[in-house]
Each structure stands twice: as structure tokens, then as C-alpha cells.
Amino acid sequence: MPVTGSACTLHSVAGLTMNSAYRIQDLFTLPGWLSLSRVGLAVCFPLVVSSPWLALSVVAAAAVSDMLDGYVARRLHQNTPMGAALDPVTDKIFASSVMLTLLCADRLSITGAVLMSARELGELPLLLWMLVHPRARHACAERLRANYLGKLTTALQFGALLGVLFGAASSGWWFAATAVVGSLAAGAYWLSCLSTLTGRQSVPIQPRARQHGSPETQGTKTNVAETVKPGR
């Protein structure tokens, strides 16, 4: 189940208002269409949830599109800020559809949903902090992108989802692993944001330039004048 953090979503929203490089036409590239396909898949999932294999096919298609959009963008040299913003937003739309559908169909317990959403829940305070503090939003918007722990969390969520769809007895281990790695991924986002914010706050102290005519300069001039005197 492709999922990215709440902070990534906020990065996308903040970037659209902060950076003029976010262009609407970049949505309609091949990588953009691949990302947008997950919105259609999010609509399809509730319609096929009663059939595990069809539901799995929809989830697999979303996972493939999640892998391909970045690969195609790099291969075609179509990496854009809009594409980087669109990817986590469509991920979250699809993930929300899957989670709500399984909850409403009594296929997933509230405890299971909490464990699978450990990353998103851990990032929620960061999201709220960035919403109410523009300085934090500006400092973190360019740093909060998907990381390796986030990708691993996505893979574990996919495994846990398979257990839910097919009633696997070992799905509890997938939930536990997803919760642990997801919490680490949320912590990584927090550290990235805080380190960026601290770096921007720290201003190096520059040595004060000596002014012309200062006592030190005058003393230097006097010493030089006394050393180099014309002979009588």
C-alpha cells in the first residue's frame, strides 16, 4: 500500500504556494499521469474489496505506478517540483481509500489501522506545527521528502495488507514491524525538519572589520612611520 507521510503532503502544499517552479503543465507528463492513476485506483478499490484477488490487483497496480513514476521521470529527464509534490499526495489519497474501505468492511480492526498508520500518526504533530508556524513550514518544506525508512514502511504496509485481504495468521507480525519501522520513519522526518530549522536559525558570527582610523589602525600607522624614517 503506497503511503507517504503527512509531512510530505504538507511539503507538497507548501511548495505550491512558495515556489514558482511548481507548474500545472508538469502534471500532464508521463510521470504525472502515472502518479494521477492512483487517484482512479483509489476510486476502484472500494468496488473490488470483496474479491481479494481483484483488490490485490488494484493495490499492485498502485504500487507499480508508485515505482514507475520516479523511474520514468529520471529516465526522461522530467524531474519537476510538481512531480515530487504530486507523488506523495496521490499515495496518501490511495492509502486513505484502502484504509477506510477495510475499516468499513470490518476487514481491519482499529488496532490494526493504528499500527499500520504509526508513521502518519507520528508525523501528525509535525504537520500541525508546520501549519501554525510559517517559519517552520518554510524551513522544512524542501527537506521533507520520502526517505529509505519511509519506503521500507510502505513495503511492510503492503505485506500487512496482503495478510488482511487473505486472512493470513501471520499478519500480526507485519503489523508490528510496520509500526516499529513507521515510527522510525516519522522520527527521521522530525530530525530532518528540526536540523534544517536549527541550521537556518544559527547565524555565524562574522569578525568585525576594523574601521579606518580606529585606534588599532592608527597605532599600526604610527609604528610603520617610526620604523621607516628618511635619513637626515
Side-chain angles (χ1 to χ4, degrees):
M1 180 171 61
V3 185
T4 53
S6 303
C8 287
T9 305
L10 183 59
H11 161 263
S12 308
V13 176
L16 288 172
T17 59
M18 291 166 50
N19 195 332
S20 60
Y22 288 78
R23 301 174 301 180
I24 297 298
Q25 56 264 37
D26 290 335
L27 290 173
F28 307 110
T29 60
L30 180 55
W33 284 116
L34 286 170
S35 296
L36 287 172
S37 68
R38 292 194 287 280
V39 178
L41 293 170
V43 176
C44 290
F45 186 82
L47 304 177
V48 299
V49 69
S50 58
S51 173
W53 285 107
L54 287 178
L56 177 62
S57 299
V58 172
V59 173
V64 170
S65 73
D66 188 33
M67 292 185 292
L68 283 180
D69 54 8
Y71 173 78
V72 172
R74 291 189 295 271
R75 292 287 294 181
L76 299 181
H77 305 288
Q78 292 181 341
N79 294 298
T80 63
M82 178 63 80
L86 181 65
D87 184 21
V89 171
T90 54
D91 279 349
K92 196 164 187 63
I93 291 173
F94 181 77
S96 298
S97 172
V98 171
M99 193 75 68
L100 290 174
T101 300
L102 293 175
L103 283 171
C104 292
D106 291 328
R107 303 286 295 276
L108 180 66
S109 66
I110 295 179
T111 302
V114 170
L115 291 175
M116 289 183 68
S117 305
R119 173 180 51 185
E120 286 70 29
L121 294 175
E123 291 167 358
L124 182 59
L126 178 61
L127 170 67
L128 297 176
W129 178 46
M130 292 172 67
L131 282 173
V132 299
H133 289 284
R135 182 164 54 85
R137 181 167 64 251
H138 293 181
C140 301
E142 293 302 322
R143 290 290 300 275
L144 293 178
R145 301 178 185 269
N147 55 27
Y148 290 111
L149 283 172
K151 292 296 184 183
L152 179 57
T153 303
T154 299
L156 292 171
Q157 287 173 328
F158 186 80
L161 179 60
L162 288 178
V164 171
L165 291 176
F166 291 94
S170 60
S171 59
W173 291 102
W174 286 98
F175 285 125
T178 302
V180 171
V181 178
S183 299
L184 293 175
Y189 283 124
W190 271 96
L191 289 176
S192 178
C193 181
L194 292 176
S195 63
T196 304
L197 186 61
T198 304
R200 293 193 178 193
Q201 284 179 324
S202 59
V203 178
I205 301 175
Q206 300 291 342
R208 186 175 60 184
R210 293 179 177 178
Q211 299 179 354
H212 180 70
S214 64
E216 294 129 308
T217 306
Q218 291 176 351
T220 303
K221 289 182 177 180
T222 303
N223 294 337
V224 172
E226 291 177 353
T227 303
V228 184
K229 289 185 179 179
R232 292 184 180 179

